[in-house]
Amino acid sequence: MGRGKLRIYLGAAPGVGKTYAMLSEAHRRVERGTDAVVGFVEHHGRPRTEVMLHGLEEVPRRELTYRDSVFTEMDVDALLARRPAVALVDELAHTNVPGSRNTKRWQDVEELLQAGIDVVSTVNIQHLESLGDVVESITGVRQRETVPDEVVRRADQIELVDMSPQALRRRMAHGNIYKPDKVDAALSNYFRPGNLTALRELALLWTADRVDEYLRQYRTDHSVSTIWSARERIVVGLTGGPEGRTLIRRASRMAAKGSGSEILAVYIARSDGLTSASPKELAVQRTLVEDLGGTFHHVIGDDVPASLLEFARGVNATQIVLGSSRRKNWQYIFGPGVGQTVARDSGPDLDVHIVTHEEVAKGRGLPVARGARLGRGRILAGWLVGLAGPVLLSLVLTNFGPDLGLANDMLLFLCMTVAAALLGGLLPSLASAAFGSLLLNYFFVQPVHRLTITDPKNIVAIAIFVFVAVSVASVVDVAARRTHQASRLRAESEILSFLAGSVLRGDTSLEALLERVRETFAMESVALLERASEVDPWTCASSVVTSTGKPLLRPEDADVDMPVGDNMALALAGRVLPAEDRRVLAAFAAQAAVFLDRQRLVGEAERAQQLAEGNRIRTALLAAVSHDLRTPLAGIKAAVTSLRSDDVAWSEEDEAELLAGIEDGADRLDHLVGNLLDMSRLQTGTVTPLIREIDLDEVVPMALGGVPEGSVTLDIPETLPMVAVDPGLLERSVANIVENAVKYSPDGRHVLVAASALGDRVEVRVADRGPGVPDSAKDRIFEPFQRYGDAPRGAGVGLGLAVARGFAEAMGGTLAAEDTPGGGMTMVLTLRAAAGRPPVRPDLPAQATS
């Protein structure tokens, strides 16, 4: 049994006709004899959609009870037992009612597909998980029901159901989507023309990317190497030279002539790292192409024309833009050049544009080899061994040594050449080989003491010696260079791994990064400079300066500057860096810019969070004022109006009851206003505790004045140490905690308030026998304007515990919630203990009941 096929109708907004299109397809399949059934289709009261259900078999839904309400969901078990060929399942992103077989409907669909049942489903673009933030920024509505993009991407077929915003709004106005009482609100909010246009563009772009994936997969599966011009893709070949900006702008103008065109700038770097490209210029060109909506690619390849063509065909490009060669006329003796080679080998399906520029025929220079930097001492030692060594060896062999034979003499001279190569590199070793051959000829080849050779065999021997010496010297020099390059690359990799690690950990500040730059390159001053635009002056975002360094205010003041885009640069002072160090410096510069952006984003996020929290609190405050504060005011107003009524003769008992109601309402109002003021003080940071040492039994009993008598049991031992607190804040915190516990305690069950010492802390535990709070909600109950469970309106604005925790933390303590053994909740207030213990006072009871 194979896996079923999934077909999805994708829409930009509700009402475009996804469900209607799905039901139309079902009717067509049934007419062709396909066994198609309706697993779940929601017509939302739309008459045209409801009519389309007629004539289709519907699998009965499953009824589920949740919070005393009955809901219906798709019956997966019934569908699996029915085993149709095709099942219609609407609203793929739907969240099932708790108690269902799966949490999400797309998981139900996955089971049907695994059972070999084909599924036709629907989903809107705003329900794709990756687009949640984008849709929220467009519409202002956060989609709670989402489906992973991968689920939709795995579909065998995706069909876009498209409709213009004007047509969709007309359909809405005619009542074909929502009921008439909701039309005006929908048209002025979610269904605004701008929202619908943006959502439609999202749907079109997402579908286009999916089609592009299908095309790439098909070309890969069928080994298609020719260009299919389904979309204009323009590849810009960059060399790192100044002409790159002209090429990028030219490609941008070409792309603007066709809708949906793409620009891909590519730089081909040789695998050996030898290049004449300017890192500064490449960084500028990368920024330029990204600003113009293109992408920048860095490709490694020794054969530049072949690598460029391979990249272009790999991305299914249709055009290549190259600059006219900067070579001088005589430099063409080395080959035809990249432009001519690419144009010759591109084939008929790939157009090559050669663009002229100001640098044509001005010369491009040859790549500069970055060889081993051996140092002056080693180079001098190499020359000394290469020249003086053969002389000393000749003196020893002619005056003191035995006759070893020409072959052995040549081996000894060859050793000198190898030693010169190891110490000083290629040039000292070549000089040693040439000088050594002359000494061999003069002292050891017949006739001696003459620079002539009579025996042809000796001529061959000398030639072989020179060849072997030069070859060995070259090999040794290349090995030394490669060793140096490997060491340098290892150091670079360690530095780059540090940068990558700092990004992943997020624990390095911008100042620490600049200090690392200064240490790495042995600089005196490092500064990250930026400006708002090209005409504005430079400002220093951050800098690190040693005692001998000077502050850097402009890139021109630095010995080295590394641009990061057009309006940011990393400036260094102390020495001029060699070219091979600029690659790592570019990575540091890019990372510094990222750190600066991240710092600013963090600051903006914190400010946004504060604003959002302030808006949330203001909204909740308005709700509290509109109901919770008006309730006691309404009771007071009613009682006062009754007392002032002249047409009713109130008895003394009635008057006393009305006055008691006024007093109770005033007390409740005072309590609510007090909590609001306390929360306002906490939010604005104006709570300044006056810490002093005091006994708990002096404060806690005073906090019980607002609860009924006999509802609280106190257990405050006399031997407890004193606590360092603000008595007023502590009393307010304990009062709020106890009042909350009494409110949720069952009738006849006391709230226990107990205290104990634990090291340098004192814990006050307030335990009740109420319904308790699950672990997932224990932190949420301390948030402002939160009331857990079914607390009645008028029971408070939900600030008591938030104020209590705020005051506790202001005094250096903590407040947390725990489960009470046997049921209920315990609030644990932890306070700092004072250094000494209070004197024992036997006249105070150990326990009291309030």
Side-chain angles (χ1 to χ4, degrees):
M1 179 181 60
R3 176 182 171 87
K5 296 183 180 297
L6 175 61
R7 179 182 177 90
I8 292 179
Y9 285 95
L10 176 68
V16 295
K18 304 179 303 299
T19 305
Y20 190 92
M22 179 181 67
L23 294 174
S24 298
E25 179 183 349
H27 280 285
R28 292 193 299 270
R29 293 198 181 198
V30 170
E31 291 174 359
R32 294 195 300 265
T34 304
D35 182 17
V37 301
V38 176
F40 188 98
V41 170
E42 185 62 63
H43 55 74
H44 297 290
R46 300 167 186 169
R48 294 175 180 268
T49 305
E50 187 176 3
V51 169
M52 293 297 294
L53 285 169
H54 296 168
L56 297 177
E57 177 186 349
E58 294 189 55
V59 175
R61 302 181 184 183
R62 180 185 179 190
E63 293 187 352
L64 296 169
T65 302
Y66 179 66
R67 291 185 178 179
D68 300 328
S69 299
V70 178
F71 300 88
T72 60
E73 293 287 0
M74 181 174 67
D75 195 336
V76 181
D77 293 324
L79 273 171
L80 293 175
R82 170 68 173 75
R83 293 194 61 80
V86 179
L88 308 183
V89 182
D90 204 6
E91 298 178 356
L92 187 63
H94 172 74
T95 301
N96 293 329
V97 174
S100 301
R101 182 187 185 98
N102 295 301
T103 304
K104 304 288 290 188
R105 183 164 293 166
W106 64 263
Q107 295 171 326
D108 296 336
V109 169
E110 187 65 24
E111 285 197 38
L112 298 178
L113 295 173
Q114 291 291 345
I117 301 173
D118 294 345
V119 177
V120 183
S121 187
T122 65
V123 70
N124 280 331
I125 192 68
Q126 66 263 29
H127 293 299
L128 294 182
E129 199 168 73
S130 66
L131 300 179
D133 295 339
V134 179
V135 173
E136 184 179 9
S137 66
I138 294 172
T139 64
V141 178
R142 182 66 179 182
Q143 298 296 330
R144 301 299 177 186
E145 293 185 329
T146 60
V147 58
D149 289 45
E150 185 59 28
V151 174
V152 183
R153 289 183 180 276
R154 286 202 306 262
D156 299 276
Q157 298 180 54
I158 299 177
E159 182 171 336
L160 178 65
V161 183
D162 189 26
M163 178 174 288
S164 68
Q166 294 77 10
L168 184 57
R169 285 173 58 84
R170 284 197 300 271
R171 179 179 289 185
M172 171 74 69
H174 293 159
N176 295 333
I177 301 177
Y178 292 152
K179 294 181 179 180
D181 58 339
K182 297 181 179 180
V183 169
D184 291 338
L187 289 175
S188 59
N189 291 285
Y190 193 89
F191 285 82
R192 294 195 301 268
N195 289 357
L196 297 178
T197 302
L199 292 174
R200 186 188 190 196
E201 183 178 15
L202 275 180
L204 291 170
L205 290 175
W206 194 93
T207 307
D209 288 340
R210 179 60 175 151
V211 172
D212 205 31
E213 290 179 14
Y214 278 128
L215 181 59
R216 285 199 299 268
Q217 186 63 39
Y218 180 86
R219 286 167 54 84
T220 301
D221 295 342
H222 293 79
S223 301
V224 178
S225 59
T226 58
I227 304 298
W228 288 2
S229 304
R231 180 192 299 187
E232 289 291 339
R233 286 187 175 89
I234 304 173
V235 171
V236 183
L238 302 178
T239 64
E243 77 282 359
R245 305 185 199 183
T246 302
L247 303 184
I248 293 172
R249 293 189 177 96
R250 174 63 174 166
S252 176
R253 292 194 297 270
M254 293 169 58
K257 296 178 181 179
S259 178
S261 299
E262 296 182 30
I263 302 175
L264 300 92
V266 58
Y267 170 69
I268 310 294
R270 298 186 184 275
S271 59
D272 58 5
L274 303 180
T275 177
S276 59
S278 167
K280 177 179 179 179
E281 186 63 31
L282 278 179
V284 173
Q285 293 172 14
R286 175 194 290 268
T287 303
L288 177 60
V289 71
E290 291 176 350
D291 290 343
L292 294 175
T295 56
F296 184 89
H297 304 267
H298 193 111
V299 177
I300 303 297
D302 293 325
D303 189 343
V304 174
S307 300
L308 182 60
L309 288 171
E310 182 180 359
F311 173 82
R313 292 193 172 98
V315 298
N316 199 27
T318 57
Q319 302 180 60
I320 296 179
V321 176
L322 298 174
S324 297
S325 178
R326 287 185 284 130
R327 290 181 173 190
K328 294 183 179 296
N329 293 333
W330 63 268
Q331 290 179 315
Y332 282 97
I333 63 175
F334 298 106
V338 174
Q340 293 184 21
T341 305
V342 170
R344 182 191 63 199
D345 299 338
S346 61
D349 53 355
L350 188 57
D351 297 335
V352 179
H353 302 268
I354 306 297
V355 179
T356 58
H357 49 84
E358 296 180 352
E359 303 297 323
V360 174
K362 290 186 177 181
R364 54 177 303 174
L366 297 176
V368 180
R370 294 178 296 176
R373 299 171 60 192
L374 300 176
R376 182 176 299 178
R378 286 191 59 180
I379 294 176
L380 290 176
W383 282 104
L384 182 62
V385 171
L387 298 180
V391 174
L392 293 176
L393 182 60
S394 299
L395 292 176
V396 170
L397 292 177
T398 55
N399 296 320
F400 306 101
D403 186 9
L404 300 177
L406 182 59
N408 291 327
D409 294 337
M410 287 184 177
L411 289 177
L412 291 174
F413 277 90
L414 185 60
C415 291
M416 289 295 173
T417 302
V418 173
L422 291 174
L423 290 174
L426 182 62
L427 291 180
S429 62
L430 292 178
S432 177
F435 190 50
S437 64
L438 293 176
L439 293 177
L440 277 172
N441 183 14
Y442 188 80
F443 288 102
F444 304 101
V445 177
Q446 295 297 327
V448 295
H449 303 300
R450 295 179 62 182
L451 293 178
T452 59
I453 302 175
T454 57
D455 190 352
K457 295 181 180 179
N458 292 336
I459 297 176
V460 175
I462 292 294
I464 293 175
F465 166 77
V466 173
F467 174 76
V468 172
V470 172
S471 300
V472 171
S474 300
V475 171
V476 171
D477 180 72
V478 170
R481 291 173 182 270
R482 290 292 183 261
T483 301
H484 173 76
Q485 290 175 356
S487 301
R488 179 172 184 81
L489 290 175
R490 177 183 176 184
E492 290 183 1
S493 66
E494 291 177 355
I495 295 173
L496 295 176
S497 66
F498 161 77
L499 288 176
S502 66
V503 174
L504 296 176
R505 294 188 302 270
D507 56 357
T508 302
S509 64
L510 179 57
E511 290 74 17
L513 180 67
L514 295 183
E515 179 63 25
R516 180 63 182 262
V517 174
R518 191 196 64 77
E519 294 176 353
T520 301
F521 298 104
M523 290 293 181
E524 296 178 353
S525 305
V526 179
L528 183 63
L529 307 176
E530 65 173 346
R531 58 184 177 180
S533 65
E534 294 184 359
V535 298
D536 292 331
W538 290 93
T539 59
C540 181
S542 181
S543 65
V544 174
V545 183
T546 62
S547 58
T548 59
K550 61 179 180 179
L552 298 175
L553 302 178
R554 298 180 306 166
E556 294 80 4
D557 300 334
D559 295 319
V560 181
D561 70 286
M562 177 59 64
V564 187
D566 292 334
N567 300 316
M568 189 176 293
L570 183 65
L572 301 90
R575 65 187 182 94
V576 178
L577 289 180
E580 56 265 29
D581 287 340
R582 296 184 66 90
R583 178 170 56 183
V584 177
L585 181 61
F588 271 113
Q591 190 60 37
V594 170
F595 274 119
L596 181 61
D597 290 341
R598 186 166 64 186
Q599 286 182 358
R600 290 173 176 172
L601 289 175
V602 169
E604 292 177 1
E606 291 177 353
R607 290 191 293 272
Q609 184 176 4
Q610 293 174 357
L611 291 175
E613 182 67 17
N615 290 333
R616 188 179 69 85
I617 291 177
R618 281 192 291 271
T619 302
L621 178 60
L622 290 174
V625 171
S626 65
H627 189 284
D628 297 289
L629 296 183
R630 291 177 62 185
T631 300
L633 284 175
I636 295 173
K637 176 67 174 178
V640 171
T641 303
S642 300
L643 288 173
R644 296 187 61 184
S645 177
D646 297 332
D647 55 353
V648 179
W650 300 103
S651 64
E652 293 183 359
E653 292 80 3
D654 293 335
E655 290 182 355
E657 184 177 355
L658 291 173
L659 290 173
I662 294 173
E663 183 178 10
D664 180 66
D667 290 340
R668 288 173 56 194
L669 189 61
D670 179 69
H671 180 72
L672 293 174
V673 172
N675 275 336
L676 288 172
L677 292 177
D678 290 338
M679 197 66 219
S680 175
R681 293 168 59 202
L682 289 172
Q683 291 291 330
T684 56
T686 57
V687 176
T688 304
L690 302 176
I691 304 298
R692 65 185 182 90
E693 298 181 358
I694 194 171
D695 289 319
L696 279 178
D697 52 13
E698 295 181 19
V699 179
V700 174
M702 298 175 60
L704 308 181
V707 297
E709 295 185 4
S711 60
V712 178
T713 299
L714 284 179
D715 183 7
I716 310 293
E718 298 178 0
T719 56
L720 282 179
M722 301 176 74
V723 291
V725 297
D726 183 315
L729 299 185
L730 177 60
E731 179 183 346
R732 187 75 175 182
S733 297
V734 174
N736 285 351
I737 297 171
V738 173
E739 289 175 8
N740 184 77
V742 171
K743 180 171 61 177
Y744 286 99
S745 292
D747 294 338
R749 302 297 297 271
H750 289 177
V751 171
L752 174 63
V753 180
S756 60
L758 183 63
D760 60 345
R761 315 292 287 180
V762 174
E763 288 187 351
V764 179
R765 292 179 170 267
V766 181
D768 63 61
R769 293 295 179 179
V773 175
D775 293 338
S776 59
K778 281 187 171 62
D779 286 334
R780 194 165 62 249
I781 61 175
F782 293 103
E783 296 178 2
F785 304 103
Q786 296 291 325
R787 292 184 296 182
Y788 180 71
D790 55 353
R793 300 292 295 181
V797 294
L799 287 176
L801 294 181
V803 170
R805 171 176 273 189
F807 284 170
E809 292 176 349
M811 295 184 294
T814 61
L815 178 61
E818 297 179 357
D819 292 330
T820 302
M825 186 172 65
T826 298
M827 290 291 176
V828 182
L829 177 62
T830 305
L831 305 170
R832 291 183 298 162
R837 291 178 177 270
V840 178
R841 291 177 290 181
D843 56 319
L844 291 179
Q847 292 188 358
T849 300
S850 173

PDB file of all heavy atoms in Angstrom, residues 374-384 423-424:
ATOM      1  N   LEU A 374      59.600  35.040   5.866  1.00  0.00           N
ATOM      2  CA  LEU A 374      60.562  34.336   6.698  1.00  0.00           C
ATOM      3  C   LEU A 374      61.270  35.235   7.686  1.00  0.00           C
ATOM      4  O   LEU A 374      61.854  34.746   8.643  1.00  0.00           O
ATOM      5  CB  LEU A 374      61.597  33.643   5.799  1.00  0.00           C
ATOM      6  CG  LEU A 374      61.021  32.609   4.820  1.00  0.00           C
ATOM      7  CD1 LEU A 374      62.117  32.079   3.921  1.00  0.00           C
ATOM      8  CD2 LEU A 374      60.342  31.489   5.564  1.00  0.00           C
ATOM      9  N   GLY A 375      61.266  36.507   7.449  1.00  0.00           N
ATOM     10  CA  GLY A 375      61.996  37.383   8.337  1.00  0.00           C
ATOM     11  C   GLY A 375      63.414  37.639   7.835  1.00  0.00           C
ATOM     12  O   GLY A 375      64.033  36.822   7.154  1.00  0.00           O
ATOM     13  N   ARG A 376      63.937  38.814   8.208  1.00  0.00           N
ATOM     14  CA  ARG A 376      65.252  39.215   7.716  1.00  0.00           C
ATOM     15  C   ARG A 376      66.353  38.287   8.212  1.00  0.00           C
ATOM     16  O   ARG A 376      67.287  37.956   7.477  1.00  0.00           O
ATOM     17  CB  ARG A 376      65.535  40.654   8.150  1.00  0.00           C
ATOM     18  CG  ARG A 376      66.864  41.197   7.655  1.00  0.00           C
ATOM     19  CD  ARG A 376      67.023  42.653   8.041  1.00  0.00           C
ATOM     20  NE  ARG A 376      65.959  43.455   7.439  1.00  0.00           N
ATOM     21  CZ  ARG A 376      65.830  44.769   7.651  1.00  0.00           C
ATOM     22  NH1 ARG A 376      66.671  45.403   8.467  1.00  0.00           N
ATOM     23  NH2 ARG A 376      64.847  45.429   7.062  1.00  0.00           N
ATOM     24  N   GLY A 377      66.274  37.817   9.447  1.00  0.00           N
ATOM     25  CA  GLY A 377      67.319  36.960   9.997  1.00  0.00           C
ATOM     26  C   GLY A 377      67.449  35.652   9.251  1.00  0.00           C
ATOM     27  O   GLY A 377      68.564  35.206   8.917  1.00  0.00           O
ATOM     28  N   ARG A 378      66.316  35.010   8.956  1.00  0.00           N
ATOM     29  CA  ARG A 378      66.378  33.729   8.250  1.00  0.00           C
ATOM     30  C   ARG A 378      66.857  33.902   6.815  1.00  0.00           C
ATOM     31  O   ARG A 378      67.591  33.070   6.276  1.00  0.00           O
ATOM     32  CB  ARG A 378      65.000  33.063   8.258  1.00  0.00           C
ATOM     33  CG  ARG A 378      64.614  32.482   9.596  1.00  0.00           C
ATOM     34  CD  ARG A 378      63.391  31.607   9.478  1.00  0.00           C
ATOM     35  NE  ARG A 378      63.577  30.509   8.568  1.00  0.00           N
ATOM     36  CZ  ARG A 378      62.655  29.589   8.280  1.00  0.00           C
ATOM     37  NH1 ARG A 378      61.473  29.670   8.864  1.00  0.00           N
ATOM     38  NH2 ARG A 378      62.906  28.611   7.438  1.00  0.00           N
ATOM     39  N   ILE A 379      66.444  35.002   6.183  1.00  0.00           N
ATOM     40  CA  ILE A 379      66.898  35.227   4.795  1.00  0.00           C
ATOM     41  C   ILE A 379      68.405  35.445   4.757  1.00  0.00           C
ATOM     42  O   ILE A 379      69.113  34.889   3.893  1.00  0.00           O
ATOM     43  CB  ILE A 379      66.133  36.411   4.194  1.00  0.00           C
ATOM     44  CG1 ILE A 379      64.639  36.061   4.042  1.00  0.00           C
ATOM     45  CG2 ILE A 379      66.731  36.801   2.849  1.00  0.00           C
ATOM     46  CD1 ILE A 379      63.795  37.198   3.543  1.00  0.00           C
ATOM     47  N   LEU A 380      68.937  36.232   5.693  1.00  0.00           N
ATOM     48  CA  LEU A 380      70.393  36.424   5.745  1.00  0.00           C
ATOM     49  C   LEU A 380      71.122  35.114   6.014  1.00  0.00           C
ATOM     50  O   LEU A 380      72.175  34.834   5.420  1.00  0.00           O
ATOM     51  CB  LEU A 380      70.730  37.455   6.824  1.00  0.00           C
ATOM     52  CG  LEU A 380      70.328  38.910   6.521  1.00  0.00           C
ATOM     53  CD1 LEU A 380      70.637  39.810   7.714  1.00  0.00           C
ATOM     54  CD2 LEU A 380      71.029  39.417   5.269  1.00  0.00           C
ATOM     55  N   ALA A 381      70.550  34.304   6.912  1.00  0.00           N
ATOM     56  CA  ALA A 381      71.175  33.006   7.191  1.00  0.00           C
ATOM     57  C   ALA A 381      71.153  32.120   5.958  1.00  0.00           C
ATOM     58  O   ALA A 381      72.113  31.372   5.685  1.00  0.00           O
ATOM     59  CB  ALA A 381      70.448  32.330   8.355  1.00  0.00           C
ATOM     60  N   GLY A 382      70.068  32.190   5.160  1.00  0.00           N
ATOM     61  CA  GLY A 382      70.003  31.391   3.946  1.00  0.00           C
ATOM     62  C   GLY A 382      71.054  31.807   2.938  1.00  0.00           C
ATOM     63  O   GLY A 382      71.708  30.952   2.312  1.00  0.00           O
ATOM     64  N   TRP A 383      71.223  33.129   2.781  1.00  0.00           N
ATOM     65  CA  TRP A 383      72.273  33.591   1.862  1.00  0.00           C
ATOM     66  C   TRP A 383      73.668  33.224   2.367  1.00  0.00           C
ATOM     67  O   TRP A 383      74.551  32.855   1.580  1.00  0.00           O
ATOM     68  CB  TRP A 383      72.186  35.109   1.677  1.00  0.00           C
ATOM     69  CG  TRP A 383      71.096  35.531   0.741  1.00  0.00           C
ATOM     70  CD1 TRP A 383      69.895  36.068   1.059  1.00  0.00           C
ATOM     71  CD2 TRP A 383      71.130  35.433  -0.681  1.00  0.00           C
ATOM     72  NE1 TRP A 383      69.144  36.330  -0.063  1.00  0.00           N
ATOM     73  CE2 TRP A 383      69.894  35.950  -1.176  1.00  0.00           C
ATOM     74  CE3 TRP A 383      72.058  34.967  -1.605  1.00  0.00           C
ATOM     75  CZ2 TRP A 383      69.594  36.000  -2.520  1.00  0.00           C
ATOM     76  CZ3 TRP A 383      71.761  35.040  -2.955  1.00  0.00           C
ATOM     77  CH2 TRP A 383      70.532  35.545  -3.406  1.00  0.00           C
ATOM     78  N   LEU A 384      73.884  33.299   3.660  1.00  0.00           N
ATOM     79  CA  LEU A 384      75.197  32.952   4.208  1.00  0.00           C
ATOM     80  C   LEU A 384      75.521  31.487   3.973  1.00  0.00           C
ATOM     81  O   LEU A 384      76.638  31.125   3.542  1.00  0.00           O
ATOM     82  CB  LEU A 384      75.231  33.275   5.705  1.00  0.00           C
ATOM     83  CG  LEU A 384      76.548  33.012   6.439  1.00  0.00           C
ATOM     84  CD1 LEU A 384      77.654  33.888   5.863  1.00  0.00           C
ATOM     85  CD2 LEU A 384      76.395  33.268   7.934  1.00  0.00           C
ATOM     86  N   LEU A 423      66.446  27.566   5.021  1.00  0.00           N
ATOM     87  CA  LEU A 423      66.618  28.772   5.812  1.00  0.00           C
ATOM     88  C   LEU A 423      66.090  30.016   5.108  1.00  0.00           C
ATOM     89  O   LEU A 423      65.323  30.791   5.677  1.00  0.00           O
ATOM     90  CB  LEU A 423      68.108  28.969   6.146  1.00  0.00           C
ATOM     91  CG  LEU A 423      68.715  27.986   7.142  1.00  0.00           C
ATOM     92  CD1 LEU A 423      70.213  28.199   7.262  1.00  0.00           C
ATOM     93  CD2 LEU A 423      68.054  28.137   8.514  1.00  0.00           C
ATOM     94  N   GLY A 424      66.497  30.228   3.846  1.00  0.00           N
ATOM     95  CA  GLY A 424      66.217  31.494   3.193  1.00  0.00           C
ATOM     96  C   GLY A 424      65.240  31.463   2.062  1.00  0.00           C
ATOM     97  O   GLY A 424      64.959  32.512   1.467  1.00  0.00           O
TER      98      GLY A 424
END
